[in-house]
Amino acid sequence: MTAAYDTSERVAELAGEKYKDGFVTEIEMVRAEKGLNEEVVRFISARKQEPEWMLEWRLSAFQRWRQMSEPKWARVHYPPIDYQDAYYYAAPKSQPDRPASLDDVDPKLIETYQKLGIPLSEQKLLAGVAVDAVFDSVSVATTFKRRLNEAGVIFCPISEAIRDYPDLVRKYLGSVVPVTDNFFATLNSAVFSDGSFVYVPEGVRCPMELSTYFRINASETGQFERTLIIADKNSYVSYLEGCTAPKRDRHQLHAAVVELVALDGAEIKYSTVQNWYPGDENGRGGIYNFVTKRGDCRGRGSKISWTQVETGSAITWKYPSCILRGDDSIGEFYSIAITNNYQQADTGTKMLHLGRNTRSRIISKGISAGRAQNTYRGLVSVHAKAENARNHTQCDSLLIGPHCGAHTVPYIEGRNPSAKIEHEATTSKISDDQLFYAMARGIPEEEAVALIVNGFCREVLQQLPMEFAVEAQKLVGISLEGSVG
Amino acid sequence: MTALARSIGGHTDAFRHDFARREVELPGGALQWLQDRRRAAMTAFTAIGVPNRRVEAWKYTDLANLLEPDLLPITGSGDADERVSPLLDESNHLRLFNGFLSRCASDDAIDIVDLSALRGEVPDWLRENFGVLACGPDQPMGAASLALMRGGVAIRVRRDNSLALHFSNGASLRPCVSHCRVLLLVESGVSVRLLESHTGETSSGSLRNIGVELILNANSRLEHIRLQKDAADAVHVTSLGAMLRRDSQYRACYAALGARASRLDINIRLTGDRSEAALHHVAAVDTGIADITSVIDHASPNTRSRQLFKNVAGGHGRVVNQGRVIVREGSVKSDSHQLFKALLLSPRAEVDAKPELEIFADDVLCGHGTAIGALDEDALFYLRSRGIPEEEAKRLLIRAFLAEAVEGFGNEAIRDSLWQELEGALTKAAKASR
Amino acid sequence: MKLLEIDDLHVSVQGKEILKGITLSVPEGELHAIMGPNGSGKSTLSYTLAGREGYEVTRGQVLYRGDDLTALSPDRRAALGVFLALQYPVEIPGVVTLTFLKVALNAQRRARGEQEFDAVQVLRSVRQNAAALNIPEDMLKRPLNAGFSGGEKKRMEILQMALFEPRLAILDETDSGLDIDALRLVASGVNAQRAPDRGILVITHYQRLLDYIVPDRVHVLAGGRIVRSGGPDLALELEKSGYGAVVEVA
């Protein structure tokens, strides 16, 4: 039986439940002093016991950042951010910077993740999924490390990788998203705290799903995760991230950088279920999710596939992209972005076709309800040398209610006569016919909407690993609560 | 200061100085209402300046850097040109030479005012409608054309009619700039066909800056067929603003066949219930840039828009298609579709497309599609297997590709003359691609 | 008690009166046919009974097992046992047919306070009914009605009727667009579901469906009113002399 079959009823079960991950864990924290200056950058680096080169890297990013300004081109509106009025590092006091084993992890943290549905204790681990749990600025636990090590796969917090695998980190860090890429990426380069590092050696098919679970807990604190995934020749890895945060009245900044490198014949599948606190129904509070994600199909015949389900955050600014450098490489972007109440999302992708016979596929489903604004922004660029490049883009928007907005801003650039680029977009509301039909079969309105929207998103949901498709479908229903009737 | 910044400041400053120095000498300088609108236009223009690629809407056509550093304003028509329009002449035949009305043959269903000679009494319809569209900060060059207007024509059509408007330019050894305005007011219930054509002599990089206002009153119809074929060294910018009142219909077929750069910058406001706009565009270039950028604003319920842009780029040619469709809150049952297609014939040719949707109402049906590629190999093979030589087969397929956008416009004679021009441009594009 | 009692029903759509005083009752165990020419108000009647928005009851009432139906939402009516087979079943892209059937069935059961079925029970029940209607397994795995042929869509409607076991079924032009084999299949599906506690209202333009589904009563709808009622013979008379004659006599 299909996944869709089993989960529709869970959508129903969960109707009536609002943002369920909004609780706060009471735990003593160590913080950097408030604000951002060179001392704070040094403090973070020292906390992580980083080598000198890493500190230099951070400091030069910080110098650069001070001369940069926030990008203004996205269709998102927010009051000016005071970068001095936030904390850039926060970690549980009980947590040593390098957790020796799961037994050393503070029971309060174990309990927190338990509540989020992410069991960390050995007996209850999700079968087949290794988890790196990041709490504010530090990784608190990584599961299945030994089993992965046996396969030769490195999966650890990036702070650990900087100490233990400096050559790999130095070679690849900043090679896909340069330090000076954009305002938020540069900020991240200066103050990044934790995130995951993955290296899959040549010819290895990673034996399990890897996942990182990001939790913001501390108030007035930004989270600046940094993730680096390298798939060596002919390897394969599937990685998934989840994110939640407590309900708070004040906005919090999340500025992550994710870099993927796929060498010859390698494949990386990267999935995100983003459920940061979206703010309340009046637009108070919620996470500013300003994220730079980019994959480099560096090798011939490599493949990078992004799948994202974006239901949370007050503002989402994010464009997971693929540089199709290697001949015959493939880039994919599958996206669901749901905005309700006063949420704003400006999200999409860039597909840069540099190599010959490169192919890309984009499927984007945007759903807007309440007073939300939802924008797809994307670039497909075929360079002169990209013989026989192919792109297909399908970009659909669904509007629920008369006060929301749905926008589509694709840039399409062709410089090679043998390339084929196709783009299609539609915008419409849920059809009255469909809603009536479902209701005439006994399905209540809110559930009917969730069902139809799940159908609308099906092509994207199908791309998610089974374990997470269920979670994502559930979220679709919950996110749209209160949007009809 | 970088060279880039200097040249940008240069044109904007030059336009501003021209305005400051000659404001009262400009046609209609003594008319207070016109002076107010010109000043507002100048303010709108200076907010943006002559746009460069950092202005989002001009990302693909870096106008400031396509212009010669010094442009001499054209202040008089000089000798009238007697060349005829490449499109078939209609009974009401107007000519503009170097941006000045030079010849005018018309019947009594049409009121015509020469804008270079505006003074004293002007008719009410002119005062009410002139200088209202194509002059905001969203069309900075249109704003400049109003502020710095030296000549042009205002037309009111009171009965079903057809007219031809032919723009031409004399050869010039220095780069010049002409600012020219056109107003066409179609009265309620009237159907009009407008043939517009642009040709020109070698121009040393001159800028033709034209602002066109089309006002369609309730229940009126306007069919607009436009052929733009400037000299290969000319820069052509037309800013077109249209206002469509209740139940009016605007159908247009634009052809862009050459210039160093041409930009048709369109802003259509569907302000009346059930108004409709259909824009068809064909471009065939072997060098330079052919840019069409449209904004269609569904500002009323039950409005409809259709856009079909077909482009062929060969040689070093570049085509730009941008289209933004806005559906305002409350504009329910808006129905909009845009389709951009482009064929690249050469590895040095380029296409840039940006079809945008900006939707603020839920009960709508909007979509767009873009397809960029080469000629269909299967079709080409099929034709060749039937004994048709490759070049001819390609020509057939390209013609078929463009035909969809031209069909149904004008009459057979008009279409024939349009095709003749298109074929000429296609032949050049094919040749430049070899 | 009558299963369905319609009394002096007036219905307007977008301010225009379409039904102008319909009085009709269907007792349990009976199958009634409503026949009428195009534009007579047949579909308006079926949408009104199912509770579609925009169909405004301006006068009269509709009693279903003694209770007023008109204030209820479509899903409440379905849960109470009212089923409408649509003339044009709607495509719902991306929603797998089997999923839809399960969600609908359990929503109805939940609303009635009954135990929901698990996946296995639903599948068993769907398969049984599907076989009788010659609906292949792979159709159940495809998105609902998307890409189905006209005949497949109509059979899917009858499958739903069999699955939901309604007390009152309204079949709106279920015969339209069917070839003779499909018509027989659909008709035998309907006949199989005639039962002493169930009423069926068949709405049709043509008599040919009534060769296979023999009604207890036939009503002729024209201009928003029932202009004649009679036994099965009325349908044959209509077939012979056309609507014009019958409407005129009335």
Side-chain angles (χ1 to χ4, degrees), chain A residues 73 75 371 373 377 379 384 387 395 397 399-430 432, chain B residues 56 59-60 318 322 324 329-330 333 337 344-376:
Chain A
W73 40 261
R75 181 187 282 281
R371 294 185 173 272
Q373 300 295 328
R377 186 182 304 276
L379 167 69
E387 290 286 320
C395 201
S397 304
L399 293 144
I400 303 175
H403 304 300
C404 55
H407 318 295
T408 315
V409 190
Y411 297 77
I412 301 150
E413 302 172 353
R415 280 167 189 69
N416 186 298
S418 63
K420 254 200 190 114
I421 312 172
E422 289 167 330
H423 175 104
E424 272 179 87
T426 64
T427 302
S428 57
K429 68 168 189 167
I430 288 187
D432 292 340
Chain B
E56 177 63 23
K59 180 181 164 67
Y60 294 114
R318 191 146 78 78
Q322 302 187 101
R324 187 149 65 99
E329 191 166 341
K333 309 279 179 206
H337 195 263
L344 293 182
L345 303 182
S346 138
R348 298 172 308 278
E350 188 177 322
V351 52
D352 298 302
K354 188 182 168 203
E356 254 184 281
L357 291 170
E358 211 176 300
I359 315 289
F360 296 95
D362 68 335
D363 192 3
V364 300
L365 210 58
C366 296
H368 62 230
T370 306
I372 297 168
L375 284 174
D376 181 356

Side-chain angles (χ1 to χ4, degrees), chain B residues 222-428:
Chain B
L222 174 61
E223 182 189 41
H224 185 181
I225 298 168
R226 179 182 194 268
L227 172 72
Q228 175 269 319
K229 192 180 77 169
D230 284 273
D233 61 358
V235 178
H236 178 130
V237 179
T238 290
S239 308
L240 186 156
M243 168 126 59
L244 274 65
R245 300 216 161 93
R246 182 176 57 77
D247 294 297
S248 63
Q249 262 181 31
Y250 174 61
R251 290 176 70 236
C253 179
Y254 312 123
L257 304 181
R260 175 189 291 180
S262 70
R263 160 92 161 202
L264 179 55
D265 201 71
I266 300 171
N267 190 319
I268 293 181
R269 295 188 210 159
L270 302 173
T271 52
D273 276 23
R274 294 172 304 277
S275 55
E276 289 186 25
L279 313 184
H280 287 204
H281 166 79
V282 293
V285 293
D286 60 305
T287 174
I289 302 172
D291 176 340
I292 179 168
T293 295
S294 70
V295 175
I296 297 189
D297 188 346
H298 289 254
S300 200
N302 305 304
T303 44
R304 187 171 192 270
S305 66
R306 287 289 177 274
Q307 297 180 78
L308 177 65
F309 297 176
K310 298 268 186 128
N311 309 267
V312 178
H316 288 90
R318 191 146 78 78
V319 290
V320 178
N321 288 176
Q322 302 187 101
R324 187 149 65 99
V325 171
I326 305 166
V327 178
R328 308 251 166 209
E329 191 166 341
S331 295
V332 292
K333 309 279 179 206
S334 286
D335 174 353
S336 160
H337 195 263
Q338 41 183 342
L339 180 59
F340 301 166
K341 287 190 168 188
L343 284 178
L344 293 182
L345 303 182
S346 138
R348 298 172 308 278
E350 188 177 322
V351 52
D352 298 302
K354 188 182 168 203
E356 254 184 281
L357 291 170
E358 211 176 300
I359 315 289
F360 296 95
D362 68 335
D363 192 3
V364 300
L365 210 58
C366 296
H368 62 230
T370 306
I372 297 168
L375 284 174
D376 181 356
E377 289 294 331
D378 293 339
L380 198 57
F381 172 76
Y382 181 81
L383 292 184
R384 294 183 69 192
S385 75
R386 295 296 173 270
I388 302 170
E390 186 175 358
E391 286 308 311
E392 198 180 333
K394 279 185 180 168
R395 207 162 53 235
L396 269 172
L397 289 175
I398 293 172
R399 198 189 145 106
F401 170 78
L402 294 179
E404 191 188 352
V406 176
E407 266 157 26
F409 282 90
N411 54 34
E412 211 177 323
I414 293 170
R415 278 195 303 274
D416 280 351
S417 51
L418 195 56
W419 270 116
Q420 202 175 333
E421 296 295 331
L422 273 171
E423 296 277 7
L426 289 172
T427 306
K428 272 167 75 184

